[in-house]
Amino acid sequence: MAKLSPSILSADFSNLGADVIKASEAGADYMHIDVMDGHFVPNISFGASVMKSLDKYDTAGYDVHLMIEDPDKYIPDFVTEKTEFITVHQEACPHLHRTIQHIKSYGVGAGVSINPATPLSSLGEVLADVDLVLIMSVNPGFGGQSFISSALKKIVKLAEIRESMGYDFQIEIDGGVKMENVREIVEAGVDIVVAGSAVFGNGDIDNAVKDFLSAIR
Ligand code: DX5
Ligand code: ZN
């Protein structure tokens, strides 16, 4: 049984509260918060103030994905009572171990993500410390891209490593997840599925969430 984390990147920003409430009421487990700085990725999305504007609503907890350079500077801004995970990119963190400890010091789950071209071996020294590993199945920066299938091999391998080493992080996938491929993705060993355009881009958020939940639970 996997969980669903709809990415608000594909929500209607002029109606963000309403969209997020709809997805939460339909049963989404988390809200995926895609933060882009125009440096680490070639796009700018939004910052912590937009996320915090949702604090006043009864929504699923935040699953924050920082696609930014120098994330340590901004981690405290994303800590709220509703923050479940803060995930940084291995490629953006020269002192990844320190950054992971920094996230944990606020009592929220620490996640680390790798781009499609980054090997799993780059995470070997931190897998014992993290609460979540986010495998990117698109090159980060935009919603609505196609799933890169080599991510499935990474998922299978990561699940094997977790099993053999007795680690307990969650495995999350992000990018190009649709109703057509979500079962195969979950069967490969994913615990948390991110879906942006497939949830917020199809005009019926309630049914999109429910369809995903029935496919992954
Ligand atoms: C990509 C983001 C993803 C993206 C997913 O840079 O990290 O979370 O919004 O969007 P879809 O599901 O449309 O590929
Ligand atoms: Zn994301």
Side-chain angles (χ1 to χ4, degrees):
M1 168 167 157
K3 293 183 169 176
L4 180 67
S5 187
S7 167
I8 69 168
L9 186 66
S10 293
D12 175 357
F13 289 171
S14 71
N15 262 311
L16 186 59
D19 275 12
V20 167
I21 288 168
K22 270 186 211 158
S24 297
E25 285 179 349
D29 299 283
Y30 302 104
M31 280 299 131
H32 188 77
I33 310 291
D34 277 317
V35 181
M36 304 177 179
D37 66 352
H39 291 273
F40 179 68
V41 291
N43 194 14
I44 298 174
S45 58
F46 51 79
S49 59
V50 170
M51 182 190 88
K52 286 175 173 169
S53 74
L54 300 170
D55 286 354
K56 57 183 175 288
Y57 302 124
D58 185 18
T59 70
Y62 304 142
D63 163 33
V64 181
H65 180 192
L66 296 181
M67 289 162 277
I68 62 176
E69 286 179 4
D70 203 2
D72 280 83
K73 222 154 91 185
Y74 302 98
I75 284 164
D77 295 347
F78 288 92
V79 177
T80 76
E81 283 187 5
K82 284 163 65 177
T83 307
E84 301 273 357
F85 299 105
I86 296 180
T87 296
V88 294
H89 268 262
Q90 182 273 343
E91 301 89 350
C93 296
H95 307 291
L96 183 57
H97 181 271
R98 179 188 291 151
T99 304
I100 289 163
Q101 302 309 320
H102 184 192
I103 297 170
K104 287 178 155 184
S105 74
Y106 295 102
V108 304
V112 64
S113 182
I114 52 173
N115 288 334
T118 304
L120 269 184
S121 57
S122 64
L123 299 180
E125 303 302 323
V126 297
L127 287 179
D129 299 312
V130 292
D131 301 295
L132 180 144
V133 177
L134 170 53
I135 302 295
M136 289 307 301
S137 42
V138 297
N139 289 293
F142 304 92
Q145 302 182 79
S146 300
F147 188 83
I148 296 173
S149 57
S150 56
L152 283 179
K153 283 190 204 129
K154 278 185 180 167
I155 296 290
V156 170
K157 199 167 158 199
L158 185 58
E160 280 169 13
I161 294 169
R162 178 175 65 182
E163 170 83 26
S164 68
M165 298 298 287
Y167 297 146
D168 61 1
F169 51 79
Q170 304 283 298
I171 300 177
E172 183 173 45
I173 197 145
D174 184 6
V177 178
K178 308 282 170 210
M179 279 301 291
E180 296 76 53
N181 59 10
V182 70
R183 290 190 77 95
E184 185 187 9
I185 289 167
V186 168
E187 278 161 18
V190 166
D191 305 298
I192 305 174
V193 171
V194 177
S197 49
V199 168
F200 287 110
N202 85 350
D204 187 346
I205 296 167
D206 180 67
N207 272 321
V209 168
K210 287 179 177 156
D211 286 349
F212 267 106
L213 291 177
S214 62
I216 67 178
R217 284 183 174 168

mmCIF file of all heavy atoms in Angstrom, residues 7 9-10 32 34 36 65 67 136 138-145 174-178 194-198, ligand 1:
data_model
loop_
_atom_site.group_PDB
_atom_site.id
_atom_site.type_symbol
_atom_site.label_atom_id
_atom_site.label_comp_id
_atom_site.label_asym_id
_atom_site.label_seq_id
_atom_site.Cartn_x
_atom_site.Cartn_y
_atom_site.Cartn_z
ATOM 1 N N SER A 7 1.401 17.067 -6.299
ATOM 2 C CA SER A 7 2.266 18.250 -6.385
ATOM 3 C C SER A 7 1.441 19.484 -6.723
ATOM 4 O O SER A 7 0.816 19.558 -7.795
ATOM 5 C CB SER A 7 3.334 18.061 -7.460
ATOM 6 O OG SER A 7 3.936 19.322 -7.701
ATOM 7 N N LEU A 9 2.438 22.130 -7.749
ATOM 8 C CA LEU A 9 3.001 22.878 -8.880
ATOM 9 C C LEU A 9 1.998 22.980 -10.031
ATOM 10 O O LEU A 9 1.994 23.968 -10.772
ATOM 11 C CB LEU A 9 4.283 22.187 -9.368
ATOM 12 C CG LEU A 9 5.082 22.892 -10.448
ATOM 13 C CD1 LEU A 9 5.660 24.205 -9.914
ATOM 14 C CD2 LEU A 9 6.228 22.002 -10.951
ATOM 15 N N SER A 10 1.162 21.961 -10.177
ATOM 16 C CA SER A 10 0.185 21.972 -11.276
ATOM 17 C C SER A 10 -1.191 22.471 -10.837
ATOM 18 O O SER A 10 -2.142 22.391 -11.617
ATOM 19 C CB SER A 10 0.055 20.567 -11.882
ATOM 20 O OG SER A 10 1.250 20.201 -12.521
ATOM 21 N N HIS A 32 2.640 17.797 -1.916
ATOM 22 C CA HIS A 32 4.018 17.921 -2.376
ATOM 23 C C HIS A 32 4.268 19.375 -2.785
ATOM 24 O O HIS A 32 3.572 19.926 -3.637
ATOM 25 C CB HIS A 32 4.230 16.970 -3.555
ATOM 26 C CG HIS A 32 5.636 16.849 -4.020
ATOM 27 N ND1 HIS A 32 6.591 16.105 -3.357
ATOM 28 C CD2 HIS A 32 6.259 17.375 -5.097
ATOM 29 C CE1 HIS A 32 7.736 16.171 -4.014
ATOM 30 N NE2 HIS A 32 7.573 16.951 -5.071
ATOM 31 N N ASP A 34 6.724 21.891 -4.389
ATOM 32 C CA ASP A 34 7.884 21.973 -5.293
ATOM 33 C C ASP A 34 8.458 23.386 -5.310
ATOM 34 O O ASP A 34 7.871 24.297 -5.898
ATOM 35 C CB ASP A 34 7.456 21.610 -6.718
ATOM 36 C CG ASP A 34 7.414 20.114 -6.944
ATOM 37 O OD1 ASP A 34 8.349 19.421 -6.495
ATOM 38 O OD2 ASP A 34 6.455 19.642 -7.572
ATOM 39 N N MET A 36 11.378 25.881 -6.502
ATOM 40 C CA MET A 36 12.401 26.004 -7.566
ATOM 41 C C MET A 36 12.955 27.420 -7.575
ATOM 42 O O MET A 36 12.194 28.380 -7.480
ATOM 43 C CB MET A 36 11.771 25.728 -8.926
ATOM 44 C CG MET A 36 11.090 24.385 -9.023
ATOM 45 S SD MET A 36 10.313 24.203 -10.634
ATOM 46 C CE MET A 36 9.649 22.546 -10.453
ATOM 47 N N HIS A 65 9.829 19.668 -1.335
ATOM 48 C CA HIS A 65 10.894 19.257 -2.263
ATOM 49 C C HIS A 65 11.658 20.503 -2.687
ATOM 50 O O HIS A 65 11.171 21.285 -3.514
ATOM 51 C CB HIS A 65 10.234 18.553 -3.468
ATOM 52 C CG HIS A 65 11.199 18.078 -4.507
ATOM 53 N ND1 HIS A 65 10.778 17.649 -5.751
ATOM 54 C CD2 HIS A 65 12.549 17.945 -4.493
ATOM 55 C CE1 HIS A 65 11.835 17.276 -6.466
ATOM 56 N NE2 HIS A 65 12.920 17.457 -5.735
ATOM 57 N N MET A 67 14.213 22.241 -4.703
ATOM 58 C CA MET A 67 15.078 22.178 -5.896
ATOM 59 C C MET A 67 15.804 23.515 -5.971
ATOM 60 O O MET A 67 15.554 24.348 -6.850
ATOM 61 C CB MET A 67 14.224 21.918 -7.142
ATOM 62 C CG MET A 67 13.661 20.500 -7.169
ATOM 63 S SD MET A 67 12.275 20.323 -8.315
ATOM 64 C CE MET A 67 10.945 20.909 -7.266
ATOM 65 N N MET A 136 14.038 10.965 -8.675
ATOM 66 C CA MET A 136 13.441 11.778 -9.745
ATOM 67 C C MET A 136 13.300 10.927 -11.009
ATOM 68 O O MET A 136 14.268 10.328 -11.472
ATOM 69 C CB MET A 136 14.302 13.002 -10.064
ATOM 70 C CG MET A 136 14.302 14.081 -9.001
ATOM 71 S SD MET A 136 12.681 14.661 -8.478
ATOM 72 C CE MET A 136 11.989 15.268 -10.024
ATOM 73 N N VAL A 138 11.936 12.434 -13.737
ATOM 74 C CA VAL A 138 12.090 13.431 -14.807
ATOM 75 C C VAL A 138 13.255 14.319 -14.367
ATOM 76 O O VAL A 138 13.629 14.318 -13.193
ATOM 77 C CB VAL A 138 10.836 14.331 -15.012
ATOM 78 C CG1 VAL A 138 9.629 13.514 -15.450
ATOM 79 C CG2 VAL A 138 10.517 15.145 -13.761
ATOM 80 N N ASN A 139 13.810 15.090 -15.304
ATOM 81 C CA ASN A 139 14.773 16.117 -14.895
ATOM 82 C C ASN A 139 13.979 17.248 -14.264
ATOM 83 O O ASN A 139 13.059 17.785 -14.892
ATOM 84 C CB ASN A 139 15.579 16.587 -16.101
ATOM 85 C CG ASN A 139 16.544 15.508 -16.557
ATOM 86 O OD1 ASN A 139 17.490 15.175 -15.848
ATOM 87 N ND2 ASN A 139 16.279 14.920 -17.714
ATOM 88 N N PRO A 140 14.299 17.590 -13.004
ATOM 89 C CA PRO A 140 13.434 18.509 -12.285
ATOM 90 C C PRO A 140 13.384 19.898 -12.913
ATOM 91 O O PRO A 140 14.344 20.340 -13.538
ATOM 92 C CB PRO A 140 14.047 18.553 -10.887
ATOM 93 C CG PRO A 140 15.457 18.132 -11.052
ATOM 94 C CD PRO A 140 15.459 17.167 -12.207
ATOM 95 N N GLY A 141 12.263 20.561 -12.722
ATOM 96 C CA GLY A 141 12.094 21.927 -13.227
ATOM 97 C C GLY A 141 10.696 22.204 -13.735
ATOM 98 O O GLY A 141 10.234 23.336 -13.657
ATOM 99 N N PHE A 142 10.024 21.171 -14.207
ATOM 100 C CA PHE A 142 8.714 21.393 -14.826
ATOM 101 C C PHE A 142 7.781 20.215 -14.548
ATOM 102 O O PHE A 142 8.242 19.069 -14.479
ATOM 103 C CB PHE A 142 8.863 21.558 -16.345
ATOM 104 C CG PHE A 142 9.814 22.668 -16.713
ATOM 105 C CD1 PHE A 142 11.156 22.406 -16.923
ATOM 106 C CD2 PHE A 142 9.368 23.986 -16.791
ATOM 107 C CE1 PHE A 142 12.054 23.422 -17.228
ATOM 108 C CE2 PHE A 142 10.256 25.015 -17.091
ATOM 109 C CZ PHE A 142 11.600 24.737 -17.309
ATOM 110 N N GLY A 143 6.501 20.520 -14.434
ATOM 111 C CA GLY A 143 5.498 19.468 -14.395
ATOM 112 C C GLY A 143 5.202 19.003 -15.815
ATOM 113 O O GLY A 143 5.622 19.627 -16.799
ATOM 114 N N GLY A 144 4.489 17.892 -15.912
ATOM 115 C CA GLY A 144 3.977 17.443 -17.204
ATOM 116 C C GLY A 144 4.992 16.810 -18.148
ATOM 117 O O GLY A 144 4.734 16.682 -19.338
ATOM 118 N N GLN A 145 6.156 16.372 -17.633
ATOM 119 C CA GLN A 145 7.144 15.704 -18.489
ATOM 120 C C GLN A 145 6.903 14.184 -18.486
ATOM 121 O O GLN A 145 6.146 13.654 -17.673
ATOM 122 C CB GLN A 145 8.551 15.986 -17.973
ATOM 123 C CG GLN A 145 8.919 17.456 -17.888
ATOM 124 C CD GLN A 145 10.357 17.625 -17.408
ATOM 125 O OE1 GLN A 145 11.307 17.465 -18.168
ATOM 126 N NE2 GLN A 145 10.526 17.945 -16.124
ATOM 127 N N ASP A 174 8.976 10.822 -8.263
ATOM 128 C CA ASP A 174 8.450 12.133 -8.649
ATOM 129 C C ASP A 174 8.751 12.416 -10.116
ATOM 130 O O ASP A 174 9.913 12.493 -10.518
ATOM 131 C CB ASP A 174 9.121 13.198 -7.759
ATOM 132 C CG ASP A 174 8.585 14.604 -7.985
ATOM 133 O OD1 ASP A 174 7.617 14.767 -8.746
ATOM 134 O OD2 ASP A 174 9.157 15.528 -7.381
ATOM 135 N N GLY A 175 7.662 12.590 -10.890
ATOM 136 C CA GLY A 175 7.807 13.006 -12.276
ATOM 137 C C GLY A 175 7.203 12.017 -13.255
ATOM 138 O O GLY A 175 7.601 10.847 -13.303
ATOM 139 N N GLY A 176 6.207 12.479 -13.993
ATOM 140 C CA GLY A 176 5.650 11.651 -15.061
ATOM 141 C C GLY A 176 4.781 10.501 -14.599
ATOM 142 O O GLY A 176 4.544 9.555 -15.353
ATOM 143 N N VAL A 177 4.289 10.576 -13.360
ATOM 144 C CA VAL A 177 3.425 9.496 -12.869
ATOM 145 C C VAL A 177 1.994 9.745 -13.331
ATOM 146 O O VAL A 177 1.446 10.836 -13.142
ATOM 147 C CB VAL A 177 3.490 9.389 -11.327
ATOM 148 C CG1 VAL A 177 2.549 8.303 -10.833
ATOM 149 C CG2 VAL A 177 4.920 9.130 -10.865
ATOM 150 N N LYS A 178 1.419 8.732 -13.940
ATOM 151 C CA LYS A 178 0.047 8.801 -14.479
ATOM 152 C C LYS A 178 -0.726 7.572 -14.015
ATOM 153 O O LYS A 178 -0.121 6.592 -13.564
ATOM 154 C CB LYS A 178 0.076 8.791 -16.020
ATOM 155 C CG LYS A 178 0.983 9.826 -16.657
ATOM 156 C CD LYS A 178 0.347 11.194 -16.659
ATOM 157 C CE LYS A 178 1.359 12.255 -17.077
ATOM 158 N NZ LYS A 178 1.140 13.553 -16.505
ATOM 159 N N VAL A 194 4.371 10.806 -6.097
ATOM 160 C CA VAL A 194 4.047 12.211 -6.380
ATOM 161 C C VAL A 194 3.354 12.259 -7.742
ATOM 162 O O VAL A 194 3.776 11.595 -8.689
ATOM 163 C CB VAL A 194 5.330 13.073 -6.440
ATOM 164 C CG1 VAL A 194 4.989 14.521 -6.819
ATOM 165 C CG2 VAL A 194 6.061 13.031 -5.110
ATOM 166 N N ALA A 195 2.289 13.030 -7.827
ATOM 167 C CA ALA A 195 1.643 13.248 -9.135
ATOM 168 C C ALA A 195 1.160 14.687 -9.170
ATOM 169 O O ALA A 195 0.467 15.135 -8.253
ATOM 170 C CB ALA A 195 0.472 12.287 -9.334
ATOM 171 N N GLY A 196 1.574 15.414 -10.196
ATOM 172 C CA GLY A 196 1.210 16.823 -10.316
ATOM 173 C C GLY A 196 0.141 17.029 -11.350
ATOM 174 O O GLY A 196 -1.046 17.176 -11.037
ATOM 175 N N SER A 197 0.541 17.011 -12.630
ATOM 176 C CA SER A 197 -0.425 17.288 -13.693
ATOM 177 C C SER A 197 -1.550 16.261 -13.720
ATOM 178 O O SER A 197 -2.686 16.593 -14.069
ATOM 179 C CB SER A 197 0.284 17.367 -15.049
ATOM 180 O OG SER A 197 1.125 16.259 -15.240
ATOM 181 N N ALA A 198 -1.258 15.015 -13.324
ATOM 182 C CA ALA A 198 -2.303 13.986 -13.375
ATOM 183 C C ALA A 198 -3.371 14.201 -12.307
ATOM 184 O O ALA A 198 -4.477 13.671 -12.422
ATOM 185 C CB ALA A 198 -1.692 12.598 -13.242
HETATM 186 C C1 DX5 B 1 9.461 18.361 -11.166
HETATM 187 C C2 DX5 B 1 8.719 18.400 -9.845
HETATM 188 C C3 DX5 B 1 7.589 17.439 -9.819
HETATM 189 C C4 DX5 B 1 6.503 17.763 -10.795
HETATM 190 C C5 DX5 B 1 5.682 16.542 -11.060
HETATM 191 O O1 DX5 B 1 10.516 19.229 -11.129
HETATM 192 O O2 DX5 B 1 9.581 18.089 -8.795
HETATM 193 O O3 DX5 B 1 7.069 17.289 -8.512
HETATM 194 O O4 DX5 B 1 5.674 18.787 -10.337
HETATM 195 O O5 DX5 B 1 4.769 16.861 -12.051
HETATM 196 P P1 DX5 B 1 4.147 15.753 -13.009
HETATM 197 O O6 DX5 B 1 3.466 14.754 -12.111
HETATM 198 O O7 DX5 B 1 3.221 16.541 -13.845
HETATM 199 O O8 DX5 B 1 5.288 15.136 -13.765
#
